[in-house]
Amino acid sequence: MQKGKLIVFEGTDGSGKRTQQALLTDVLKRRQTPFATMDFPRYKESLFGQLAGRMLKGEFGGIDQLPSHLAVLPFAADRWLLKQDLLGWLDAGKIVVSNRYTASSAVYYGAKLPQDRRRDFIRWVYTMEQDVIGLPKEDLVIYFHLPTDLAQSLINKRAAAGVQPKDIYEKNEQLLVTVETLYRELIAERPNWRVIECAKDNQIRTREDIHKEVLDLLATEGVR
Ligand code: TMP
């Protein structure tokens, strides 16, 4: 049997990854394509995901008080708990669509470090998760790019409406700019990354329009 594919959606907060994941899974269902989804961190389903959620709320201190190498461990352990399922899905030929994966820890916690330590840290996170823990490598990463000012206004709206309170990153705009820069470096270095622009002429594109681009991109990459 042909091996499945691990497709990861990455992007800054407010870029609509989760909506796009839902739209894509509707299509996969309709096409009767065998698939599975993951959404990290798993705030409710896993003990380590819960721990990550508490950390993001600031329960263990502000962003400068958490050493990056330690702060990424709950996220990694959350994924570790799913490793056997994930390997099984891929062996069974499924398309696995993950909302965030290793890169999120690498860039969000890398952004906190002084510039000259970021590259080593990013490499360390990938080694820890994918070589030491043995999580599978991504076949394709789709980066949903939303300009920081538009993303920030969405985050502010969601927080003001009480839909989603800001996490410790969303409270720090400068850090989100660095996160974006680090994502850009990964895109430039890694051949399995693709970018979707979520805004055009400073307007956010409709979810349907972006969804169509996701489907076109997957078709080009041979994912059906
Ligand atoms: P979310 O808003 O998409 O739920 O993401 C929660 C935050 O956690 C976001 O700021 C990115 C960060 N994060 C990591 O640092 N490492 C990870 O592995 C994941 C999944 C998220």
Side-chain angles (χ1 to χ4, degrees), residues 13 18 40-41 43 56 75 79 100-101 104-105 108-109 164 167 169:
D13 306 273
R18 200 165 283 125
F40 295 112
Y43 294 108
L56 289 169
F75 294 98
R79 284 188 268 281
R100 297 196 181 280
Y101 199 62
S104 283
S105 277
Y108 277 82
Y109 285 93
Q164 195 178 340
D167 66 34
Y169 278 99

Side-chain angles (χ1 to χ4, degrees), residues 126-183:
Y126 274 93
T127 301
M128 184 263 294
E129 291 204 6
Q130 301 189 353
D131 298 338
V132 177
I133 293 177
L135 286 162
K137 295 189 193 310
E138 314 82 345
D139 291 289
L140 180 68
V141 182
I142 302 182
Y143 177 69
F144 291 90
H145 174 245
L146 191 61
T148 318
D149 53 336
L150 284 178
Q152 204 61 48
S153 77
L154 270 185
I155 290 166
N156 288 339
K157 256 191 228 156
R158 276 198 316 219
V163 180
Q164 195 178 340
K166 292 185 185 187
D167 66 34
I168 52 178
Y169 278 99
E170 291 167 341
K171 289 184 182 141
N172 190 326
E173 290 187 28
Q174 182 48 47
L175 208 60
L176 287 181
V177 173
T178 310
V179 164
E180 161 81 22
T181 308
L182 294 182
Y183 268 131

Side-chain angles (χ1 to χ4, degrees), residues 11-30:
T12 46
D13 306 273
S15 58
K17 302 179 297 300
R18 200 165 283 125
T19 304
Q20 291 304 324
Q21 186 187 33
L23 291 172
L24 176 58
T25 55
D26 284 347
V27 171
L28 295 173
K29 254 184 233 159
R30 250 185 284 129

Side-chain angles (χ1 to χ4, degrees), residues 40-103:
F40 295 112
R42 296 178 303 150
Y43 294 108
K44 296 203 175 86
E45 308 93 304
S46 108
L47 181 140
F48 291 110
Q50 284 167 7
L51 187 63
R54 290 169 65 188
M55 206 167 58
L56 289 169
K57 280 193 205 135
E59 191 178 324
F60 307 117
I63 206 135
D64 295 328
Q65 290 163 292
L66 298 168
S68 291
H69 290 80
L70 301 183
V72 293
L73 297 180
F75 294 98
D78 182 24
R79 284 188 268 281
W80 195 343
L81 291 178
L82 258 194
K83 177 180 155 184
Q84 291 313 326
D85 292 306
L86 175 51
L87 293 174
W89 294 330
L90 293 173
D91 282 344
K94 293 189 180 182
I95 302 293
V96 183
V97 186
S98 183
N99 181 29
R100 297 196 181 280
Y101 199 62
T102 310

